Short mmCIF file of all heavy atoms in Angstrom, two decimals:
data_model
loop_
_atom_site.label_atom_id
_atom_site.label_comp_id
_atom_site.label_asym_id
_atom_site.label_seq_id
_atom_site.Cartn_x
_atom_site.Cartn_y
_atom_site.Cartn_z
N ALA A 91 6.72 9.61 -3.25
CA ALA A 91 7.16 10.57 -4.27
C ALA A 91 6.39 10.36 -5.57
O ALA A 91 6.01 11.32 -6.25
CB ALA A 91 8.66 10.43 -4.51
N ALA A 92 6.16 9.09 -5.91
CA ALA A 92 5.39 8.79 -7.13
C ALA A 92 3.94 9.23 -6.99
O ALA A 92 3.34 9.77 -7.93
CB ALA A 92 5.46 7.30 -7.42
N ALA A 93 3.36 9.01 -5.81
CA ALA A 93 1.99 9.46 -5.58
C ALA A 93 1.90 10.98 -5.69
O ALA A 93 0.96 11.53 -6.29
CB ALA A 93 1.51 9.00 -4.21
N SER A 94 2.90 11.67 -5.14
CA SER A 94 2.93 13.14 -5.23
C SER A 94 3.00 13.59 -6.69
O SER A 94 2.35 14.57 -7.08
CB SER A 94 4.14 13.69 -4.46
OG SER A 94 4.02 13.42 -3.08
N ALA A 95 3.79 12.89 -7.49
CA ALA A 95 3.91 13.23 -8.92
C ALA A 95 2.57 13.05 -9.63
O ALA A 95 2.15 13.89 -10.43
CB ALA A 95 4.98 12.38 -9.57
N TYR A 96 1.87 11.94 -9.31
CA TYR A 96 0.56 11.72 -9.93
C TYR A 96 -0.41 12.82 -9.53
O TYR A 96 -1.17 13.34 -10.36
CB TYR A 96 -0.01 10.36 -9.57
CG TYR A 96 -1.45 10.20 -10.04
CD1 TYR A 96 -1.73 9.83 -11.35
CD2 TYR A 96 -2.51 10.53 -9.21
CE1 TYR A 96 -3.04 9.76 -11.81
CE2 TYR A 96 -3.82 10.47 -9.65
CZ TYR A 96 -4.08 10.08 -10.95
OH TYR A 96 -5.38 10.02 -11.40
N PHE A 97 -0.42 13.19 -8.24
CA PHE A 97 -1.35 14.23 -7.80
C PHE A 97 -1.03 15.57 -8.45
O PHE A 97 -1.94 16.35 -8.77
CB PHE A 97 -1.31 14.36 -6.27
CG PHE A 97 -1.99 13.23 -5.54
CD1 PHE A 97 -1.41 12.67 -4.41
CD2 PHE A 97 -3.18 12.71 -6.00
CE1 PHE A 97 -2.02 11.63 -3.73
CE2 PHE A 97 -3.81 11.65 -5.33
CZ PHE A 97 -3.23 11.11 -4.19
N ALA A 98 0.26 15.86 -8.69
CA ALA A 98 0.62 17.09 -9.40
C ALA A 98 0.06 17.07 -10.82
O ALA A 98 -0.46 18.08 -11.32
CB ALA A 98 2.14 17.26 -9.41
N TYR A 99 0.18 15.93 -11.47
CA TYR A 99 -0.39 15.74 -12.82
C TYR A 99 -1.90 15.91 -12.78
O TYR A 99 -2.48 16.65 -13.61
CB TYR A 99 -0.01 14.34 -13.31
CG TYR A 99 -0.80 13.82 -14.48
CD1 TYR A 99 -0.53 14.24 -15.78
CD2 TYR A 99 -1.81 12.87 -14.30
CE1 TYR A 99 -1.25 13.75 -16.87
CE2 TYR A 99 -2.53 12.36 -15.37
CZ TYR A 99 -2.25 12.80 -16.66
OH TYR A 99 -2.97 12.30 -17.73
N LEU A 100 -2.56 15.28 -11.81
CA LEU A 100 -4.01 15.36 -11.69
C LEU A 100 -4.45 16.80 -11.43
O LEU A 100 -5.43 17.28 -12.04
CB LEU A 100 -4.47 14.44 -10.55
CG LEU A 100 -5.97 14.41 -10.24
CD1 LEU A 100 -6.73 13.76 -11.39
CD2 LEU A 100 -6.22 13.65 -8.93
N ASN A 101 -3.75 17.49 -10.55
CA ASN A 101 -4.11 18.88 -10.23
C ASN A 101 -3.99 19.77 -11.45
O ASN A 101 -4.82 20.68 -11.66
CB ASN A 101 -3.24 19.41 -9.10
CG ASN A 101 -3.54 18.72 -7.77
OD1 ASN A 101 -4.58 18.09 -7.59
ND2 ASN A 101 -2.61 18.82 -6.82
N ASP A 102 -2.98 19.53 -12.29
CA ASP A 102 -2.84 20.31 -13.52
C ASP A 102 -3.96 20.02 -14.51
O ASP A 102 -4.24 20.83 -15.40
CB ASP A 102 -1.49 20.01 -14.18
CG ASP A 102 -0.36 20.83 -13.58
OD1 ASP A 102 -0.63 21.69 -12.72
OD2 ASP A 102 0.81 20.61 -13.97
N LYS A 103 -4.60 18.86 -14.34
CA LYS A 103 -5.74 18.49 -15.19
C LYS A 103 -7.08 18.96 -14.60
O LYS A 103 -8.14 18.63 -15.12
CB LYS A 103 -5.80 16.97 -15.38
CG LYS A 103 -4.62 16.37 -16.14
CD LYS A 103 -4.71 16.65 -17.62
CE LYS A 103 -3.63 15.91 -18.41
NZ LYS A 103 -3.74 16.16 -19.87
N GLU A 331 -0.39 0.18 -21.18
CA GLU A 331 -0.69 1.61 -21.34
C GLU A 331 -0.51 2.38 -20.04
O GLU A 331 -0.11 3.55 -20.05
CB GLU A 331 -2.12 1.79 -21.84
CG GLU A 331 -2.37 1.35 -23.27
CD GLU A 331 -3.82 1.54 -23.66
OE1 GLU A 331 -4.71 1.06 -22.92
OE2 GLU A 331 -4.06 2.19 -24.69
N TRP A 332 -0.81 1.73 -18.92
CA TRP A 332 -0.62 2.38 -17.63
C TRP A 332 0.86 2.69 -17.39
O TRP A 332 1.21 3.77 -16.88
CB TRP A 332 -1.14 1.50 -16.50
CG TRP A 332 -2.64 1.39 -16.43
CD1 TRP A 332 -3.41 0.37 -16.90
CD2 TRP A 332 -3.53 2.35 -15.84
NE1 TRP A 332 -4.74 0.63 -16.64
CE2 TRP A 332 -4.84 1.83 -15.99
CE3 TRP A 332 -3.35 3.57 -15.20
CZ2 TRP A 332 -5.97 2.50 -15.52
CZ3 TRP A 332 -4.47 4.25 -14.73
CH2 TRP A 332 -5.76 3.72 -14.89
N VAL A 333 1.71 1.75 -17.73
CA VAL A 333 3.15 1.95 -17.54
C VAL A 333 3.63 3.12 -18.40
O VAL A 333 4.42 3.97 -17.95
CB VAL A 333 3.94 0.67 -17.87
CG1 VAL A 333 5.44 0.92 -17.78
CG2 VAL A 333 3.53 -0.46 -16.92
N THR A 334 3.15 3.19 -19.63
CA THR A 334 3.51 4.29 -20.53
C THR A 334 3.08 5.63 -19.94
O THR A 334 3.84 6.61 -19.95
CB THR A 334 2.87 4.09 -21.91
OG1 THR A 334 3.31 2.85 -22.46
CG2 THR A 334 3.23 5.22 -22.86
N LEU A 335 1.83 5.70 -19.43
CA LEU A 335 1.34 6.94 -18.81
C LEU A 335 2.17 7.31 -17.59
O LEU A 335 2.60 8.47 -17.43
CB LEU A 335 -0.13 6.78 -18.41
CG LEU A 335 -0.70 7.94 -17.57
CD1 LEU A 335 -0.77 9.21 -18.40
CD2 LEU A 335 -2.07 7.58 -17.00
N PHE A 336 2.41 6.33 -16.72
CA PHE A 336 3.14 6.63 -15.49
C PHE A 336 4.59 7.05 -15.78
O PHE A 336 5.15 7.89 -15.07
CB PHE A 336 3.10 5.42 -14.56
CG PHE A 336 1.74 5.14 -13.96
CD1 PHE A 336 1.45 3.90 -13.41
CD2 PHE A 336 0.74 6.10 -13.96
CE1 PHE A 336 0.20 3.63 -12.85
CE2 PHE A 336 -0.52 5.85 -13.41
CZ PHE A 336 -0.79 4.61 -12.86
N ARG A 337 5.20 6.48 -16.82
CA ARG A 337 6.54 6.94 -17.21
C ARG A 337 6.50 8.41 -17.62
O ARG A 337 7.38 9.20 -17.25
CB ARG A 337 7.07 6.10 -18.37
CG ARG A 337 7.61 4.74 -17.99
CD ARG A 337 8.28 4.08 -19.19
NE ARG A 337 8.67 2.71 -18.91
CZ ARG A 337 9.81 2.36 -18.30
NH1 ARG A 337 10.66 3.33 -17.92
NH2 ARG A 337 10.11 1.11 -18.10
N ALA A 338 5.48 8.78 -18.40
CA ALA A 338 5.37 10.17 -18.86
C ALA A 338 5.15 11.11 -17.67
O ALA A 338 5.74 12.20 -17.61
CB ALA A 338 4.23 10.29 -19.86
N ILE A 339 4.31 10.70 -16.71
CA ILE A 339 4.07 11.52 -15.52
C ILE A 339 5.36 11.66 -14.72
O ILE A 339 5.71 12.74 -14.24
CB ILE A 339 2.95 10.91 -14.66
CG1 ILE A 339 1.60 10.98 -15.40
CG2 ILE A 339 2.86 11.62 -13.31
CD1 ILE A 339 0.47 10.26 -14.69
N ASN A 340 6.08 10.55 -14.58
CA ASN A 340 7.32 10.58 -13.82
C ASN A 340 8.36 11.49 -14.48
O ASN A 340 9.08 12.23 -13.81
CB ASN A 340 7.89 9.17 -13.68
CG ASN A 340 9.01 9.09 -12.66
OD1 ASN A 340 8.80 9.35 -11.48
ND2 ASN A 340 10.20 8.71 -13.11
N ASP A 341 8.40 11.45 -15.81
CA ASP A 341 9.34 12.30 -16.54
C ASP A 341 9.04 13.78 -16.31
O ASP A 341 9.96 14.59 -16.15
CB ASP A 341 9.28 12.00 -18.04
CG ASP A 341 9.92 10.67 -18.40
OD1 ASP A 341 10.65 10.11 -17.55
OD2 ASP A 341 9.66 10.17 -19.52
N GLU A 342 7.74 14.13 -16.27
CA GLU A 342 7.37 15.54 -16.16
C GLU A 342 7.30 16.04 -14.72
O GLU A 342 7.67 17.17 -14.43
CB GLU A 342 6.02 15.79 -16.85
CG GLU A 342 5.62 17.26 -16.87
CD GLU A 342 4.41 17.53 -17.74
OE1 GLU A 342 3.94 16.60 -18.41
OE2 GLU A 342 3.94 18.70 -17.75
N TYR A 343 6.82 15.18 -13.83
CA TYR A 343 6.55 15.64 -12.46
C TYR A 343 7.40 14.94 -11.40
O TYR A 343 7.31 15.28 -10.23
CB TYR A 343 5.08 15.40 -12.11
CG TYR A 343 4.10 16.16 -12.97
CD1 TYR A 343 3.55 15.58 -14.12
CD2 TYR A 343 3.72 17.46 -12.65
CE1 TYR A 343 2.64 16.27 -14.91
CE2 TYR A 343 2.82 18.16 -13.42
CZ TYR A 343 2.28 17.55 -14.56
OH TYR A 343 1.38 18.25 -15.33
N GLY A 344 8.23 13.99 -11.81
CA GLY A 344 8.96 13.17 -10.84
C GLY A 344 10.26 13.74 -10.35
O GLY A 344 10.96 13.10 -9.56
N GLU A 345 10.61 14.94 -10.80
CA GLU A 345 11.82 15.63 -10.32
C GLU A 345 13.07 14.76 -10.44
O GLU A 345 13.91 14.70 -9.54
CB GLU A 345 11.63 16.09 -8.87
CG GLU A 345 10.47 17.06 -8.70
CD GLU A 345 10.28 17.53 -7.27
OE1 GLU A 345 10.97 16.99 -6.38
OE2 GLU A 345 9.46 18.42 -7.05
N GLY A 346 13.16 14.07 -11.55
CA GLY A 346 14.35 13.29 -11.83
C GLY A 346 14.41 11.93 -11.17
O GLY A 346 15.45 11.25 -11.23
N ALA A 347 13.32 11.50 -10.56
CA ALA A 347 13.31 10.20 -9.87
C ALA A 347 13.41 9.06 -10.88
O ALA A 347 12.88 9.14 -11.99
CB ALA A 347 12.04 10.05 -9.06
N ALA A 348 14.08 7.99 -10.46
CA ALA A 348 14.13 6.78 -11.30
C ALA A 348 12.75 6.18 -11.41
O ALA A 348 11.90 6.35 -10.52
CB ALA A 348 15.12 5.79 -10.70
N PHE A 349 12.51 5.46 -12.50
CA PHE A 349 11.22 4.80 -12.70
C PHE A 349 11.38 3.32 -12.40
O PHE A 349 12.19 2.63 -13.02
CB PHE A 349 10.74 5.00 -14.14
CG PHE A 349 9.34 4.51 -14.37
CD1 PHE A 349 8.25 5.31 -14.07
CD2 PHE A 349 9.10 3.24 -14.88
CE1 PHE A 349 6.95 4.86 -14.28
CE2 PHE A 349 7.81 2.78 -15.10
CZ PHE A 349 6.73 3.60 -14.79
N THR A 353 7.40 3.06 -8.31
CA THR A 353 6.77 4.21 -8.96
C THR A 353 5.38 3.82 -9.46
O THR A 353 4.40 4.56 -9.25
CB THR A 353 7.61 4.70 -10.15
OG1 THR A 353 8.98 4.81 -9.77
CG2 THR A 353 7.10 6.04 -10.65
N ILE A 354 5.29 2.67 -10.11
CA ILE A 354 3.99 2.19 -10.60
C ILE A 354 3.04 1.99 -9.44
O ILE A 354 1.86 2.37 -9.50
CB ILE A 354 4.18 0.88 -11.38
CG1 ILE A 354 5.00 1.13 -12.65
CG2 ILE A 354 2.83 0.26 -11.74
CD1 ILE A 354 5.42 -0.14 -13.38
N GLY A 356 3.06 3.51 -6.40
CA GLY A 356 2.63 4.78 -5.83
C GLY A 356 1.62 5.50 -6.69
O GLY A 356 0.63 6.06 -6.18
N MET A 357 1.82 5.50 -8.00
CA MET A 357 0.86 6.16 -8.88
C MET A 357 -0.45 5.38 -8.97
O MET A 357 -1.52 5.98 -9.10
CB MET A 357 1.49 6.35 -10.27
CG MET A 357 2.62 7.36 -10.27
SD MET A 357 3.11 7.86 -11.94
CE MET A 357 4.57 8.84 -11.57
N SER A 358 -0.38 4.07 -8.87
CA SER A 358 -1.60 3.26 -8.88
C SER A 358 -2.46 3.56 -7.66
O SER A 358 -3.70 3.68 -7.77
CB SER A 358 -1.25 1.77 -8.92
OG SER A 358 -0.55 1.44 -10.10
N ALA A 360 -2.40 6.36 -5.87
CA ALA A 360 -2.89 7.72 -5.99
C ALA A 360 -4.07 7.80 -6.96
O ALA A 360 -5.07 8.49 -6.70
CB ALA A 360 -1.76 8.65 -6.46
N HIS A 361 -3.96 7.08 -8.06
CA HIS A 361 -5.07 7.06 -9.02
C HIS A 361 -6.32 6.46 -8.40
O HIS A 361 -7.44 6.96 -8.60
CB HIS A 361 -4.69 6.26 -10.27
CG HIS A 361 -5.85 6.04 -11.20
ND1 HIS A 361 -6.65 4.92 -11.13
CD2 HIS A 361 -6.38 6.81 -12.19
CE1 HIS A 361 -7.60 5.00 -12.03
NE2 HIS A 361 -7.45 6.13 -12.68
N ASN A 391 -6.39 -0.36 -11.38
CA ASN A 391 -5.63 -0.62 -12.60
C ASN A 391 -4.86 -1.93 -12.51
O ASN A 391 -3.81 -2.08 -13.13
CB ASN A 391 -4.68 0.54 -12.91
CG ASN A 391 -3.55 0.65 -11.89
OD1 ASN A 391 -3.71 0.25 -10.74
ND2 ASN A 391 -2.41 1.19 -12.30
N LEU A 443 -6.69 1.44 -19.57
CA LEU A 443 -6.54 2.84 -19.26
C LEU A 443 -7.66 3.64 -19.93
O LEU A 443 -7.96 3.42 -21.11
CB LEU A 443 -5.18 3.34 -19.76
CG LEU A 443 -4.91 4.83 -19.66
CD1 LEU A 443 -4.82 5.27 -18.20
CD2 LEU A 443 -3.63 5.21 -20.41
N GLU A 444 -8.24 4.58 -19.18
CA GLU A 444 -9.28 5.46 -19.74
C GLU A 444 -9.03 6.88 -19.28
O GLU A 444 -8.48 7.11 -18.20
CB GLU A 444 -10.68 5.01 -19.29
CG GLU A 444 -11.11 3.65 -19.84
CD GLU A 444 -12.52 3.28 -19.42
OE1 GLU A 444 -13.14 4.08 -18.68
OE2 GLU A 444 -13.01 2.21 -19.82
N GLY A 445 -9.41 7.84 -20.11
CA GLY A 445 -9.39 9.24 -19.73
C GLY A 445 -8.05 9.77 -19.27
O GLY A 445 -7.99 10.61 -18.36
N GLU A 446 -6.97 9.31 -19.87
CA GLU A 446 -5.63 9.75 -19.52
C GLU A 446 -5.33 9.56 -18.02
O GLU A 446 -4.55 10.30 -17.42
CB GLU A 446 -5.41 11.22 -19.89
CG GLU A 446 -5.51 11.49 -21.39
CD GLU A 446 -5.24 12.96 -21.70
OE1 GLU A 446 -5.88 13.84 -21.10
OE2 GLU A 446 -4.38 13.21 -22.56
N GLY A 447 -5.99 8.56 -17.43
CA GLY A 447 -5.75 8.29 -16.02
C GLY A 447 -6.34 9.31 -15.08
O GLY A 447 -5.96 9.37 -13.91
N VAL A 448 -7.29 10.13 -15.56
CA VAL A 448 -7.94 11.16 -14.74
C VAL A 448 -9.40 10.78 -14.54
O VAL A 448 -10.18 10.79 -15.50
CB VAL A 448 -7.86 12.55 -15.42
CG1 VAL A 448 -8.60 13.59 -14.60
CG2 VAL A 448 -6.41 12.95 -15.61
N PRO A 449 -9.81 10.40 -13.33
CA PRO A 449 -11.22 10.02 -13.11
C PRO A 449 -12.18 11.11 -13.51
O PRO A 449 -11.98 12.28 -13.21
CB PRO A 449 -11.25 9.77 -11.60
CG PRO A 449 -9.86 9.39 -11.24
CD PRO A 449 -8.99 10.24 -12.13
#
Side-chain angles (χ1 to χ4, degrees):
S94 295
Y96 172 83
F97 287 138
Y99 164 78
L100 179 69
N101 292 342
D102 277 356
K103 294 285 187 179
E331 290 179 308
W332 289 99
V333 175
T334 301
L335 172 66
F336 291 162
R337 281 187 187 276
I339 293 173
N340 192 63
D341 287 345
E342 184 170 355
Y343 298 93
E345 300 180 353
F349 188 84
T353 313
I354 295 171
M357 291 193 188
S358 297
H361 172 268
N391 68 332
L443 174 67
E444 293 183 359
E446 297 182 307
V448 177

